[in-house]
Amino acid sequence: MLEHGGRLRCAAERYRIPLADWLDLSTGISPFGWPPPLLPAEVWQRLPEDDDGLVEVARGYYGAPHLLPVAGSQAAIQALPRLRAPGRVGVIAPGYAEHAQAWRRAGHEVVRLSAAQLFEAAERLDVVVLIHPNNPGAERFQRGDLLGLHARLASRGGWLVVDEAFIDATPERSLCGDSDREGLVVLRSIGKFFGLAGARAGFACASAGLLDALRERLGPWALSGPTRHVLMQALADRDWQAAARTRLIWAGTQLGESLDRCGLSEGAGCAYFQWRRHPRATRLHDALARRGILVRCFDSDEATPPSLRFGLPADAAARQRLERGLHEALSEMSGREVAG
């Protein structure tokens, strides 16, 4: 399996730093999560029921004509490639690596391309997978460009899959409202915006027929009863959502400015994280970890430059700790190079 951010216990053991002493910025999960309520006993005692109102509430939140609750968007990422005969699939790079792996495991030929290359190569591809905004590169796309790309693919029976796990802070950019078009699949995640990653919940938005096929592939009870209960309330809490969007956008901007002050300005970001290229990313990751600061490191390959992704600090004190740690780590690395 691929490794992801959030492996705090592993880092604590490796660097021998207690869990409580870490500043964990290794994921793109909002640190300002929606506060889950106490759960009534019956949601633990009954099997999940599809007619509990969750789908209706979710349609209202996402603006999607049809959607299917799934056990995190990861469940759909793994299942979708098995709903098509093997073909040629273009996946955005750098990007969330599970997409390419899932299509490859299902027997498809996978090419990892930049966003610009994917748009140019659409006529030579059966499926295009984009992440919007991209993780980690933070690329954003115009709605008209995405729908134009979809039309080019759909005219030949192709698909456009858009992973919108990080779009909730800017919902006006979403394609959920257009997802009943044949060959357009939009994936949404609960974990990032609502800070409910442990619930392992998300939604697939697509045409009714495609969702029926996906439901058959995934089987019954994709979400637990307690998860469905929490989701119905979180998706209906419009006041909290509006405040969270403002807070996330502000925090993303503050984090970007902090990294710029530390000399890490080559990259981009969104409301949930900042991505920065650095030629010695692995060494910088290690130097930060030795100071109890965990970020996500991307090793260099043909499509991904050496780089680091920084999740949002929860408050000013955490942001100051990050800046202090970066100054120390970069100074240490510079000193070692001079000494060497």
PDB file of all heavy atoms in Angstrom, residues 48-81:
ATOM      1  N   PRO A  48     -27.676   0.427   9.390  1.00  0.00           N
ATOM      2  CA  PRO A  48     -27.866   1.666   8.623  1.00  0.00           C
ATOM      3  C   PRO A  48     -29.029   1.531   7.652  1.00  0.00           C
ATOM      4  O   PRO A  48     -29.251   0.459   7.069  1.00  0.00           O
ATOM      5  CB  PRO A  48     -26.537   1.810   7.873  1.00  0.00           C
ATOM      6  CG  PRO A  48     -25.561   0.991   8.640  1.00  0.00           C
ATOM      7  CD  PRO A  48     -26.327  -0.151   9.225  1.00  0.00           C
ATOM      8  N   GLU A  49     -29.780   2.624   7.474  1.00  0.00           N
ATOM      9  CA  GLU A  49     -30.946   2.614   6.601  1.00  0.00           C
ATOM     10  C   GLU A  49     -30.781   3.659   5.505  1.00  0.00           C
ATOM     11  O   GLU A  49     -30.515   4.838   5.786  1.00  0.00           O
ATOM     12  CB  GLU A  49     -32.212   2.886   7.413  1.00  0.00           C
ATOM     13  CG  GLU A  49     -32.489   1.809   8.462  1.00  0.00           C
ATOM     14  CD  GLU A  49     -33.665   2.142   9.363  1.00  0.00           C
ATOM     15  OE1 GLU A  49     -33.673   3.240   9.936  1.00  0.00           O
ATOM     16  OE2 GLU A  49     -34.569   1.305   9.480  1.00  0.00           O
ATOM     17  N   ASP A  50     -30.930   3.248   4.256  1.00  0.00           N
ATOM     18  CA  ASP A  50     -30.715   4.147   3.126  1.00  0.00           C
ATOM     19  C   ASP A  50     -31.744   5.265   3.048  1.00  0.00           C
ATOM     20  O   ASP A  50     -31.491   6.297   2.413  1.00  0.00           O
ATOM     21  CB  ASP A  50     -30.732   3.358   1.811  1.00  0.00           C
ATOM     22  CG  ASP A  50     -29.512   2.462   1.663  1.00  0.00           C
ATOM     23  OD1 ASP A  50     -28.511   2.709   2.361  1.00  0.00           O
ATOM     24  OD2 ASP A  50     -29.569   1.512   0.858  1.00  0.00           O
ATOM     25  N   ASP A  51     -32.909   5.076   3.665  1.00  0.00           N
ATOM     26  CA  ASP A  51     -33.969   6.078   3.576  1.00  0.00           C
ATOM     27  C   ASP A  51     -34.032   6.960   4.821  1.00  0.00           C
ATOM     28  O   ASP A  51     -35.096   7.461   5.202  1.00  0.00           O
ATOM     29  CB  ASP A  51     -35.319   5.404   3.341  1.00  0.00           C
ATOM     30  CG  ASP A  51     -35.682   4.403   4.442  1.00  0.00           C
ATOM     31  OD1 ASP A  51     -34.837   4.157   5.327  1.00  0.00           O
ATOM     32  OD2 ASP A  51     -36.811   3.862   4.413  1.00  0.00           O
ATOM     33  N   ASP A  52     -32.872   7.180   5.463  1.00  0.00           N
ATOM     34  CA  ASP A  52     -32.840   7.992   6.686  1.00  0.00           C
ATOM     35  C   ASP A  52     -32.777   9.483   6.422  1.00  0.00           C
ATOM     36  O   ASP A  52     -32.761  10.293   7.357  1.00  0.00           O
ATOM     37  CB  ASP A  52     -31.648   7.575   7.558  1.00  0.00           C
ATOM     38  CG  ASP A  52     -30.308   7.725   6.835  1.00  0.00           C
ATOM     39  OD1 ASP A  52     -30.297   8.172   5.663  1.00  0.00           O
ATOM     40  OD2 ASP A  52     -29.274   7.370   7.428  1.00  0.00           O
ATOM     41  N   GLY A  53     -32.728   9.906   5.164  1.00  0.00           N
ATOM     42  CA  GLY A  53     -32.687  11.324   4.828  1.00  0.00           C
ATOM     43  C   GLY A  53     -31.303  11.834   4.470  1.00  0.00           C
ATOM     44  O   GLY A  53     -31.161  12.988   4.032  1.00  0.00           O
ATOM     45  N   LEU A  54     -30.258  11.018   4.622  1.00  0.00           N
ATOM     46  CA  LEU A  54     -28.898  11.482   4.339  1.00  0.00           C
ATOM     47  C   LEU A  54     -28.736  11.909   2.882  1.00  0.00           C
ATOM     48  O   LEU A  54     -28.138  12.959   2.599  1.00  0.00           O
ATOM     49  CB  LEU A  54     -27.876  10.394   4.676  1.00  0.00           C
ATOM     50  CG  LEU A  54     -26.425  10.701   4.274  1.00  0.00           C
ATOM     51  CD1 LEU A  54     -25.923  11.961   4.965  1.00  0.00           C
ATOM     52  CD2 LEU A  54     -25.517   9.507   4.569  1.00  0.00           C
ATOM     53  N   VAL A  55     -29.237  11.121   1.958  1.00  0.00           N
ATOM     54  CA  VAL A  55     -29.062  11.441   0.542  1.00  0.00           C
ATOM     55  C   VAL A  55     -29.709  12.785   0.208  1.00  0.00           C
ATOM     56  O   VAL A  55     -29.131  13.605  -0.523  1.00  0.00           O
ATOM     57  CB  VAL A  55     -29.640  10.312  -0.339  1.00  0.00           C
ATOM     58  CG1 VAL A  55     -29.748  10.755  -1.795  1.00  0.00           C
ATOM     59  CG2 VAL A  55     -28.766   9.069  -0.231  1.00  0.00           C
ATOM     60  N   GLU A  56     -30.882  13.052   0.756  1.00  0.00           N
ATOM     61  CA  GLU A  56     -31.557  14.322   0.480  1.00  0.00           C
ATOM     62  C   GLU A  56     -30.765  15.502   1.042  1.00  0.00           C
ATOM     63  O   GLU A  56     -30.612  16.537   0.377  1.00  0.00           O
ATOM     64  CB  GLU A  56     -32.970  14.302   1.070  1.00  0.00           C
ATOM     65  CG  GLU A  56     -33.951  13.396   0.334  1.00  0.00           C
ATOM     66  CD  GLU A  56     -33.672  11.905   0.553  1.00  0.00           C
ATOM     67  OE1 GLU A  56     -33.052  11.558   1.600  1.00  0.00           O
ATOM     68  OE2 GLU A  56     -34.053  11.089  -0.307  1.00  0.00           O
ATOM     69  N   VAL A  57     -30.256  15.357   2.261  1.00  0.00           N
ATOM     70  CA  VAL A  57     -29.452  16.430   2.853  1.00  0.00           C
ATOM     71  C   VAL A  57     -28.174  16.645   2.047  1.00  0.00           C
ATOM     72  O   VAL A  57     -27.761  17.785   1.795  1.00  0.00           O
ATOM     73  CB  VAL A  57     -29.116  16.099   4.325  1.00  0.00           C
ATOM     74  CG1 VAL A  57     -28.143  17.124   4.897  1.00  0.00           C
ATOM     75  CG2 VAL A  57     -30.381  16.063   5.163  1.00  0.00           C
ATOM     76  N   ALA A  58     -27.549  15.565   1.617  1.00  0.00           N
ATOM     77  CA  ALA A  58     -26.312  15.664   0.846  1.00  0.00           C
ATOM     78  C   ALA A  58     -26.556  16.319  -0.507  1.00  0.00           C
ATOM     79  O   ALA A  58     -25.736  17.124  -0.980  1.00  0.00           O
ATOM     80  CB  ALA A  58     -25.692  14.283   0.668  1.00  0.00           C
ATOM     81  N   ARG A  59     -27.682  15.996  -1.154  1.00  0.00           N
ATOM     82  CA  ARG A  59     -28.003  16.656  -2.417  1.00  0.00           C
ATOM     83  C   ARG A  59     -28.132  18.167  -2.227  1.00  0.00           C
ATOM     84  O   ARG A  59     -27.705  18.962  -3.062  1.00  0.00           O
ATOM     85  CB  ARG A  59     -29.314  16.095  -2.977  1.00  0.00           C
ATOM     86  CG  ARG A  59     -29.194  14.730  -3.637  1.00  0.00           C
ATOM     87  CD  ARG A  59     -30.547  14.269  -4.110  1.00  0.00           C
ATOM     88  NE  ARG A  59     -30.528  12.920  -4.653  1.00  0.00           N
ATOM     89  CZ  ARG A  59     -31.560  12.104  -4.668  1.00  0.00           C
ATOM     90  NH1 ARG A  59     -32.722  12.494  -4.146  1.00  0.00           N
ATOM     91  NH2 ARG A  59     -31.460  10.892  -5.189  1.00  0.00           N
ATOM     92  N   GLY A  60     -28.728  18.554  -1.120  1.00  0.00           N
ATOM     93  CA  GLY A  60     -28.859  19.973  -0.838  1.00  0.00           C
ATOM     94  C   GLY A  60     -27.517  20.645  -0.636  1.00  0.00           C
ATOM     95  O   GLY A  60     -27.301  21.782  -1.084  1.00  0.00           O
ATOM     96  N   TYR A  61     -26.615  19.976   0.027  1.00  0.00           N
ATOM     97  CA  TYR A  61     -25.286  20.551   0.279  1.00  0.00           C
ATOM     98  C   TYR A  61     -24.449  20.613  -0.990  1.00  0.00           C
ATOM     99  O   TYR A  61     -23.823  21.638  -1.292  1.00  0.00           O
ATOM    100  CB  TYR A  61     -24.558  19.733   1.345  1.00  0.00           C
ATOM    101  CG  TYR A  61     -23.145  20.209   1.601  1.00  0.00           C
ATOM    102  CD1 TYR A  61     -22.892  21.339   2.372  1.00  0.00           C
ATOM    103  CD2 TYR A  61     -22.054  19.529   1.064  1.00  0.00           C
ATOM    104  CE1 TYR A  61     -21.603  21.786   2.598  1.00  0.00           C
ATOM    105  CE2 TYR A  61     -20.756  19.962   1.287  1.00  0.00           C
ATOM    106  CZ  TYR A  61     -20.533  21.092   2.056  1.00  0.00           C
ATOM    107  OH  TYR A  61     -19.252  21.531   2.263  1.00  0.00           O
ATOM    108  N   TYR A  62     -24.417  19.528  -1.749  1.00  0.00           N
ATOM    109  CA  TYR A  62     -23.549  19.449  -2.921  1.00  0.00           C
ATOM    110  C   TYR A  62     -24.192  19.992  -4.194  1.00  0.00           C
ATOM    111  O   TYR A  62     -23.488  20.306  -5.158  1.00  0.00           O
ATOM    112  CB  TYR A  62     -23.126  17.994  -3.165  1.00  0.00           C
ATOM    113  CG  TYR A  62     -22.229  17.446  -2.092  1.00  0.00           C
ATOM    114  CD1 TYR A  62     -22.647  16.407  -1.263  1.00  0.00           C
ATOM    115  CD2 TYR A  62     -20.959  17.970  -1.886  1.00  0.00           C
ATOM    116  CE1 TYR A  62     -21.824  15.903  -0.271  1.00  0.00           C
ATOM    117  CE2 TYR A  62     -20.126  17.481  -0.893  1.00  0.00           C
ATOM    118  CZ  TYR A  62     -20.573  16.444  -0.084  1.00  0.00           C
ATOM    119  OH  TYR A  62     -19.759  15.957   0.905  1.00  0.00           O
ATOM    120  N   GLY A  63     -25.516  20.085  -4.224  1.00  0.00           N
ATOM    121  CA  GLY A  63     -26.182  20.525  -5.440  1.00  0.00           C
ATOM    122  C   GLY A  63     -26.124  19.492  -6.542  1.00  0.00           C
ATOM    123  O   GLY A  63     -26.216  19.826  -7.729  1.00  0.00           O
ATOM    124  N   ALA A  64     -25.966  18.230  -6.193  1.00  0.00           N
ATOM    125  CA  ALA A  64     -25.840  17.146  -7.171  1.00  0.00           C
ATOM    126  C   ALA A  64     -27.197  16.479  -7.397  1.00  0.00           C
ATOM    127  O   ALA A  64     -27.887  16.131  -6.439  1.00  0.00           O
ATOM    128  CB  ALA A  64     -24.836  16.116  -6.678  1.00  0.00           C
ATOM    129  N   PRO A  65     -27.593  16.244  -8.649  1.00  0.00           N
ATOM    130  CA  PRO A  65     -28.865  15.560  -8.920  1.00  0.00           C
ATOM    131  C   PRO A  65     -28.890  14.137  -8.378  1.00  0.00           C
ATOM    132  O   PRO A  65     -29.928  13.664  -7.899  1.00  0.00           O
ATOM    133  CB  PRO A  65     -28.951  15.568 -10.453  1.00  0.00           C
ATOM    134  CG  PRO A  65     -28.075  16.705 -10.885  1.00  0.00           C
ATOM    135  CD  PRO A  65     -26.955  16.737  -9.888  1.00  0.00           C
ATOM    136  N   HIS A  66     -27.747  13.432  -8.464  1.00  0.00           N
ATOM    137  CA  HIS A  66     -27.662  12.054  -7.993  1.00  0.00           C
ATOM    138  C   HIS A  66     -26.336  11.880  -7.262  1.00  0.00           C
ATOM    139  O   HIS A  66     -25.304  12.398  -7.700  1.00  0.00           O
ATOM    140  CB  HIS A  66     -27.715  11.054  -9.160  1.00  0.00           C
ATOM    141  CG  HIS A  66     -28.816  11.299 -10.130  1.00  0.00           C
ATOM    142  ND1 HIS A  66     -30.135  10.998  -9.855  1.00  0.00           N
ATOM    143  CD2 HIS A  66     -28.803  11.835 -11.376  1.00  0.00           C
ATOM    144  CE1 HIS A  66     -30.884  11.327 -10.883  1.00  0.00           C
ATOM    145  NE2 HIS A  66     -30.108  11.843 -11.825  1.00  0.00           N
ATOM    146  N   LEU A  67     -26.367  11.153  -6.146  1.00  0.00           N
ATOM    147  CA  LEU A  67     -25.118  10.886  -5.437  1.00  0.00           C
ATOM    148  C   LEU A  67     -25.235   9.587  -4.649  1.00  0.00           C
ATOM    149  O   LEU A  67     -26.326   9.090  -4.385  1.00  0.00           O
ATOM    150  CB  LEU A  67     -24.703  12.054  -4.535  1.00  0.00           C
ATOM    151  CG  LEU A  67     -25.703  12.638  -3.522  1.00  0.00           C
ATOM    152  CD1 LEU A  67     -25.883  11.741  -2.327  1.00  0.00           C
ATOM    153  CD2 LEU A  67     -25.226  14.017  -3.083  1.00  0.00           C
ATOM    154  N   LEU A  68     -24.080   9.068  -4.292  1.00  0.00           N
ATOM    155  CA  LEU A  68     -24.012   7.808  -3.554  1.00  0.00           C
ATOM    156  C   LEU A  68     -23.055   7.967  -2.387  1.00  0.00           C
ATOM    157  O   LEU A  68     -21.887   8.332  -2.586  1.00  0.00           O
ATOM    158  CB  LEU A  68     -23.505   6.694  -4.480  1.00  0.00           C
ATOM    159  CG  LEU A  68     -23.311   5.309  -3.838  1.00  0.00           C
ATOM    160  CD1 LEU A  68     -24.670   4.711  -3.466  1.00  0.00           C
ATOM    161  CD2 LEU A  68     -22.554   4.382  -4.798  1.00  0.00           C
ATOM    162  N   PRO A  69     -23.517   7.721  -1.142  1.00  0.00           N
ATOM    163  CA  PRO A  69     -22.591   7.735  -0.010  1.00  0.00           C
ATOM    164  C   PRO A  69     -21.586   6.589  -0.133  1.00  0.00           C
ATOM    165  O   PRO A  69     -21.958   5.459  -0.477  1.00  0.00           O
ATOM    166  CB  PRO A  69     -23.505   7.531   1.207  1.00  0.00           C
ATOM    167  CG  PRO A  69     -24.884   7.868   0.726  1.00  0.00           C
ATOM    168  CD  PRO A  69     -24.913   7.475  -0.713  1.00  0.00           C
ATOM    169  N   VAL A  70     -20.326   6.879   0.129  1.00  0.00           N
ATOM    170  CA  VAL A  70     -19.268   5.869   0.040  1.00  0.00           C
ATOM    171  C   VAL A  70     -18.365   5.989   1.260  1.00  0.00           C
ATOM    172  O   VAL A  70     -18.330   7.018   1.935  1.00  0.00           O
ATOM    173  CB  VAL A  70     -18.434   6.027  -1.251  1.00  0.00           C
ATOM    174  CG1 VAL A  70     -19.286   5.707  -2.475  1.00  0.00           C
ATOM    175  CG2 VAL A  70     -17.848   7.433  -1.368  1.00  0.00           C
ATOM    176  N   ALA A  71     -17.635   4.928   1.517  1.00  0.00           N
ATOM    177  CA  ALA A  71     -16.756   4.891   2.694  1.00  0.00           C
ATOM    178  C   ALA A  71     -15.487   5.681   2.423  1.00  0.00           C
ATOM    179  O   ALA A  71     -14.388   5.141   2.256  1.00  0.00           O
ATOM    180  CB  ALA A  71     -16.425   3.441   3.046  1.00  0.00           C
ATOM    181  N   GLY A  72     -15.627   6.998   2.372  1.00  0.00           N
ATOM    182  CA  GLY A  72     -14.541   7.866   1.973  1.00  0.00           C
ATOM    183  C   GLY A  72     -14.407   7.842   0.464  1.00  0.00           C
ATOM    184  O   GLY A  72     -14.742   6.846  -0.192  1.00  0.00           O
ATOM    185  N   SER A  73     -13.924   8.934  -0.131  1.00  0.00           N
ATOM    186  CA  SER A  73     -13.756   8.921  -1.581  1.00  0.00           C
ATOM    187  C   SER A  73     -12.792   7.828  -2.019  1.00  0.00           C
ATOM    188  O   SER A  73     -12.825   7.381  -3.168  1.00  0.00           O
ATOM    189  CB  SER A  73     -13.282  10.292  -2.080  1.00  0.00           C
ATOM    190  OG  SER A  73     -12.137  10.731  -1.373  1.00  0.00           O
ATOM    191  N   GLN A  74     -11.963   7.342  -1.083  1.00  0.00           N
ATOM    192  CA  GLN A  74     -11.036   6.255  -1.397  1.00  0.00           C
ATOM    193  C   GLN A  74     -11.773   5.011  -1.890  1.00  0.00           C
ATOM    194  O   GLN A  74     -11.304   4.309  -2.794  1.00  0.00           O
ATOM    195  CB  GLN A  74     -10.204   5.904  -0.170  1.00  0.00           C
ATOM    196  CG  GLN A  74      -9.185   4.802  -0.387  1.00  0.00           C
ATOM    197  CD  GLN A  74      -8.108   5.190  -1.379  1.00  0.00           C
ATOM    198  OE1 GLN A  74      -7.700   6.344  -1.433  1.00  0.00           O
ATOM    199  NE2 GLN A  74      -7.651   4.235  -2.167  1.00  0.00           N
ATOM    200  N   ALA A  75     -12.940   4.719  -1.329  1.00  0.00           N
ATOM    201  CA  ALA A  75     -13.702   3.550  -1.758  1.00  0.00           C
ATOM    202  C   ALA A  75     -14.098   3.674  -3.225  1.00  0.00           C
ATOM    203  O   ALA A  75     -14.012   2.708  -3.999  1.00  0.00           O
ATOM    204  CB  ALA A  75     -14.947   3.386  -0.885  1.00  0.00           C
ATOM    205  N   ALA A  76     -14.532   4.863  -3.632  1.00  0.00           N
ATOM    206  CA  ALA A  76     -14.892   5.075  -5.036  1.00  0.00           C
ATOM    207  C   ALA A  76     -13.660   5.064  -5.927  1.00  0.00           C
ATOM    208  O   ALA A  76     -13.705   4.550  -7.053  1.00  0.00           O
ATOM    209  CB  ALA A  76     -15.640   6.395  -5.176  1.00  0.00           C
ATOM    210  N   ILE A  77     -12.566   5.637  -5.451  1.00  0.00           N
ATOM    211  CA  ILE A  77     -11.323   5.644  -6.232  1.00  0.00           C
ATOM    212  C   ILE A  77     -10.911   4.223  -6.583  1.00  0.00           C
ATOM    213  O   ILE A  77     -10.479   3.939  -7.711  1.00  0.00           O
ATOM    214  CB  ILE A  77     -10.206   6.367  -5.439  1.00  0.00           C
ATOM    215  CG1 ILE A  77     -10.479   7.867  -5.392  1.00  0.00           C
ATOM    216  CG2 ILE A  77      -8.832   6.084  -6.045  1.00  0.00           C
ATOM    217  CD1 ILE A  77      -9.578   8.635  -4.445  1.00  0.00           C
ATOM    218  N   GLN A  78     -11.061   3.302  -5.649  1.00  0.00           N
ATOM    219  CA  GLN A  78     -10.656   1.920  -5.886  1.00  0.00           C
ATOM    220  C   GLN A  78     -11.654   1.153  -6.753  1.00  0.00           C
ATOM    221  O   GLN A  78     -11.270   0.240  -7.493  1.00  0.00           O
ATOM    222  CB  GLN A  78     -10.469   1.201  -4.554  1.00  0.00           C
ATOM    223  CG  GLN A  78      -9.302   1.721  -3.743  1.00  0.00           C
ATOM    224  CD  GLN A  78      -9.149   1.052  -2.396  1.00  0.00           C
ATOM    225  OE1 GLN A  78      -8.510   1.566  -1.500  1.00  0.00           O
ATOM    226  NE2 GLN A  78      -9.727  -0.124  -2.224  1.00  0.00           N
ATOM    227  N   ALA A  79     -12.933   1.513  -6.670  1.00  0.00           N
ATOM    228  CA  ALA A  79     -13.959   0.751  -7.380  1.00  0.00           C
ATOM    229  C   ALA A  79     -14.197   1.231  -8.804  1.00  0.00           C
ATOM    230  O   ALA A  79     -14.498   0.426  -9.698  1.00  0.00           O
ATOM    231  CB  ALA A  79     -15.268   0.800  -6.592  1.00  0.00           C
ATOM    232  N   LEU A  80     -14.106   2.527  -9.054  1.00  0.00           N
ATOM    233  CA  LEU A  80     -14.446   3.065 -10.368  1.00  0.00           C
ATOM    234  C   LEU A  80     -13.673   2.415 -11.512  1.00  0.00           C
ATOM    235  O   LEU A  80     -14.259   2.126 -12.570  1.00  0.00           O
ATOM    236  CB  LEU A  80     -14.226   4.581 -10.385  1.00  0.00           C
ATOM    237  CG  LEU A  80     -15.307   5.430  -9.723  1.00  0.00           C
ATOM    238  CD1 LEU A  80     -14.842   6.867  -9.585  1.00  0.00           C
ATOM    239  CD2 LEU A  80     -16.605   5.362 -10.533  1.00  0.00           C
ATOM    240  N   PRO A  81     -12.363   2.177 -11.385  1.00  0.00           N
ATOM    241  CA  PRO A  81     -11.633   1.597 -12.519  1.00  0.00           C
ATOM    242  C   PRO A  81     -12.148   0.233 -12.948  1.00  0.00           C
ATOM    243  O   PRO A  81     -11.915  -0.177 -14.093  1.00  0.00           O
ATOM    244  CB  PRO A  81     -10.194   1.496 -11.984  1.00  0.00           C
ATOM    245  CG  PRO A  81     -10.100   2.542 -10.928  1.00  0.00           C
ATOM    246  CD  PRO A  81     -11.449   2.536 -10.279  1.00  0.00           C
TER     247      PRO A  81
END
